[in-house]
Amino acid sequence: MAMKLAVVIGHTSTSGGAKGIGIAREYDYNTVVAEDMRVYAQGSFGDLSDKPIEVKLFRRDGIGVSGAYELVDEWQADLSVELHYNAASSSAKGTETLSSGSSGSLEFANQVQTKLCTLLNRSGNSRGIKIRNRTNKERGWLSLVSGRAPAIITEPAFGSNPADAALLKNKQLDIGRSIVDGAVAVWYE
């Protein structure tokens, strides 16, 4: 039986999130990433693979964070990832992954953070893994605790930084594929 990876596209079609330099706003950018993640998983880790994975996309449009994660739970996902990118000043840069702090979430976050830092040629662990949960109700916490599956949020780079925006543009599909590879590593290795 295939491992189920739920991919939640951050923000909504009407409230699309940050707008990076020379790249689409978060919602549109990550829609492309998510759709390629599904295709990549089918091609590389399909039913005939010894590490089968099924990727299903979820949106928050019209149902909010809690509604999206209710659908993730109905699908009985094994892992979930919500896709974003950061924005701040033009000097802010780096890669970070948000985790609820549970053991499953931390393991998934570590795999994905390491893969993204390698892909984006970040030294060390870049901005690292940030814990967000009911105790620490900072940005993203609700997405990390609303579903049953271990959940993470990815923030691969800052769209407001010219160099990071170029990474987002040039590595768009590779970012999603690295996340899928991280899920496979957690589940099967």
Side-chain angles (χ1 to χ4, degrees):
M1 179 164 221
M3 185 270 284
K4 293 181 172 183
L5 174 62
V7 178
V8 179
I9 299 166
H11 301 286
T12 66
S13 61
T14 56
S15 179
K19 172 70 174 93
I21 300 167
I23 56 174
R25 64 191 180 138
E26 282 182 87
Y27 181 84
D28 301 319
Y29 175 91
N30 285 312
T31 293
V32 173
V33 173
E35 289 171 353
D36 184 72
M37 288 171 72
R38 182 175 48 201
V39 171
Y40 173 69
Q42 286 173 342
S44 298
F45 304 103
D47 291 336
L48 300 178
S49 170
D50 62 339
K51 299 176 182 179
I53 179 173
E54 182 181 353
V55 171
K56 186 170 181 177
L57 312 185
F58 296 87
R59 297 175 190 273
R60 296 171 12 182
D61 295 280
I63 58 174
V65 170
S66 296
Y69 284 92
E70 284 176 22
L71 295 176
V72 168
D73 283 350
E74 286 175 20
W75 186 56
Q76 299 180 347
D78 296 304
L79 296 170
S80 72
V81 57
E82 189 166 313
L83 305 176
H84 289 269
Y85 67 70
N86 261 324
S89 71
S90 62
S91 62
K93 63 182 179 178
T95 299
E96 66 186 25
T97 303
L98 307 182
S99 165
S100 70
S102 73
S103 60
S105 175
L106 280 171
E107 183 180 6
F108 189 21
N110 277 313
Q111 281 289 338
V112 169
Q113 180 73 9
T114 298
K115 289 186 182 310
L116 289 174
C117 285
T118 299
L119 171 71
L120 301 174
N121 200 26
R122 306 282 197 201
S123 60
N125 207 14
S126 194
R127 295 173 60 89
I129 295 169
K130 309 282 178 38
I131 304 299
R132 305 286 191 265
N133 53 36
R134 285 181 177 87
T135 303
N136 179 355
K137 293 182 178 180
E138 294 183 49
R139 176 181 53 90
W141 77 274
L142 186 59
S143 295
L144 297 167
V145 301
S146 288
R148 287 190 297 267
I152 64 170
I153 295 174
T154 59
E155 301 270 12
F158 280 79
S160 55
N161 175 298
D164 268 20
L167 285 172
L168 287 168
K169 182 177 182 178
N170 296 330
K171 303 285 187 177
Q172 185 172 13
L173 301 183
D174 294 324
I175 287 169
R177 293 171 185 188
S178 293
I179 296 166
V180 170
D181 291 344
V184 169
V186 165
W187 199 255
Y188 289 108
E189 296 171 12

